[in-house]
Each structure stands twice: as C-alpha cells, then as structure tokens.
Amino acid sequence: MKITVSRKAHFNAAHRLYRPDWSFEKNDSVFGKCNNANFHGHNYELVASVTGAVNPETGYVIDIKTLADLIYDEVEVSFDHKNLNLDVPEFAELIPTAEHIAYVIWRKLRKRLDPALDLEITLYETPRNFVTYRGE
Ligand code: NI
C-alpha cells in the first residue's frame, strides 16, 4: 500500500528574471514585468509530497515532523526573505523562475530523503500560477 504524505510551507522571496547575455529589450519582451531591474517579490507556497509504503510498525510513510523540519532547514532558512538572484548560490547561474525554484527545492529535499520514497514538489508563485516537478 502506497500513500502520499504532503506538507505545505511558505516563503517570501524577491527575484528578477533576465539573462545578462540578452539586451534589456529582449529581456523585456520575454520576461516582461519580471525583468524589473530593482527586483520584485512573491509569496511562494510550497507543497512537498512524499509517496511510499506505509511502515507496518508506525503506520507512517514518513514522520511529518521530519518532513517539516527538512523543509524548514533546506528551503525556509535558505530562501525566506532572501533575494534569490543575489543571496542564493543555486541561482547565481540559474534564472529563478518557478520552474527552476521547484527543481532546486526538489534536489535539496531529495538528497535528504530515503531513496525508497518518491518526491513531488508543487510551487505556487501566485495563487493561480504554479509548477510541479517530480524529478524527471
Ligand atoms: Ni516574478
């Protein structure tokens, strides 16, 4: 029997979407308002979902406190109230789109989870815009 256990988390962060190798005009046409040179913020909502077999002794797939602590350590401490472009080394060379942020979060959590568990990350950049990454 496999069950999915999910934990929600939240962080506020600033970013700017642009490529230094493109002109301002090209960045503006591709990234629009997200190319604002002075950065802008989002209230990101994260859902981390872990799927696996239920341990017959505990009845748990994963202790949700363990998952909550992992998200706190790996995501909230690193990203909350940060400028993703300037403060977070993973985005020094990677444009901090929702896609890339979900990918970076997945990698950070994946390396600390039991390999037998599947991990899916859903990241909301706004209440209506969100991305999902499953490690494919
Ligand atoms: Ni943005």
Side-chain angles (χ1 to χ4, degrees), residues 42-116:
H42 291 282
N43 296 314
Y44 291 97
E45 296 286 347
L46 166 67
V47 181
S49 295
V50 170
T51 301
V54 176
N55 180 310
E57 286 186 314
T58 61
Y60 286 165
V61 170
I62 184 173
D63 184 338
I64 198 125
K65 174 74 163 58
T66 304
L67 182 58
D69 289 348
L70 207 54
I71 294 168
Y72 179 79
D73 289 350
E74 294 289 343
V75 180
E76 292 172 63
V77 169
S78 306
F79 294 0
D80 192 35
H81 286 73
K82 297 291 171 63
N83 180 312
L84 298 176
N85 301 72
L86 302 180
D87 299 329
V88 180
E90 285 88 345
F91 299 111
E93 306 285 328
L94 193 63
I95 304 170
T97 57
E99 290 89 331
H100 284 161
I101 299 167
Y103 166 73
V104 167
I105 291 170
W106 185 92
R107 286 209 321 191
K108 285 163 78 79
L109 298 182
R110 178 72 272 179
K111 70 176 196 282
R112 295 192 52 194
L113 283 170
D114 180 338

Side-chain angles (χ1 to χ4, degrees), residues 15-17 33-35 40-42 44 96 125:
H15 73 169
R16 179 189 180 193
L17 304 184
K33 283 194 293 189
C34 281
N35 177 39
H40 63 280
H42 291 282
Y44 291 97
E125 193 165 73

